[in-house]
Amino acid sequence: MIRRVVFWLHLTVAVAAGLVILMLAGTGAVLSLEETVTGLAERRHFVPAPEGAERLRPEGVALAAGLVATSLSYGADPRAPVRVHEGQDLSALVDPYTGRVLARGPGGLERFFEANHNWHRWFNVSGGSVRRARAVTGAVNLAFLFLLLTGPILWLPRPVTRRSLAKALRLRRGARGATRDLNWHQVVGIWSILPLAVIAATGVATSYPAVGDRVYPAVGSLVPAGTWPARSASEGVGIERTEIEGTEVEAAAISGDARRAPDPDLRAALATAEAWAPEWRTLILHMPRPTDPEIRVEVRGGRAGQPQRTGLLTLDATSGAVRAWESFADDTPARRAQQFLRYAHTGEYWGLPGQLLAGLFSLAAALMVWTGLSLAVRRLRRFVRLRR
């Protein structure tokens, strides 16, 4: 009796939310490849790095881009172009040695992934409809979690024996029609239930702030804070004087008695960040306004989605002294949990392997939805034939 009730609840929820789950799974699989694909595409614009050549000053790179630059993104590879951003919508790739503009964005690839993001989060709507659409995707995540929790009650054989369990865990060769769909649905569901439950649960937590406010404090105590790099703002970093375009300035930075030019020296700020975290992978220089007393440089030591490998370095624009270093370990447990759940949902927290696994299990979810809906349609057709 209980199994029958669970079956009809499972079927009803699956039919109601199936198409949206299929859309979320498909766009999730595409987005799992975003950083890898865009990274490979950007390698087309790598430039020769002349031996001994120095990069242009950040001000020169921003000027060459022809944008009102809000941030400049530098890669650790000396051949990598500098990505100049104007807000969140416009960007340009600039040769850091010659100032030549290599590409302007967003390009077709970036627009494709942005559209997938919008569909995945809120059905690609805009304006006041975003909030309602996001509530729907949150509810569908909750429905998917319910399907995953009730699925094992239906998928596991009765009685559970070694032979019946082994049969339920492998795909049947030569199966056709409803037998094949049911076998695929059960086998893929059993093997994928744990990672898909994590994806669905983290999606619910990020979709509903009220849920997140209760989940984050509990999860925060379990998320390792980490230390990267293990350095405090009071520590000094050696400085050297160099000749930059004929003007003598302080190049890299930080000690208690450091001297620098009255105007903000963005090249020195970059050199300071490089010395601060030698294992950096990406530096994002936030362009200060003339009246800003600080220069902020975001330091990333890993791929996107790894907040435990990031930090924000704040420099005094006049003296060049480090004012603050804020890393993942300095965040509150709730804030760490929020970032962890956000990137655990996409697998980015664990780097490329996590992203690939998230994409693989997203495809598994799509297959489960497809076979489940196929079984529901077959059942409906059979019911109609019997009525006739």
Side-chain angles (χ1 to χ4, degrees), residues 187-205:
V187 173
V188 173
I190 292 173
W191 284 106
S192 306
I193 184 170
L194 290 180
L196 288 178
V198 171
I199 292 174
T202 52
V204 171

Side-chain angles (χ1 to χ4, degrees), residues 53-75:
E54 290 188 350
R55 294 179 302 195
L56 297 175
R57 297 174 63 90
E59 299 91 330
V61 173
L63 183 63
L67 301 174
V68 182
T70 54
S71 66
L72 278 65
S73 180
Y74 288 81

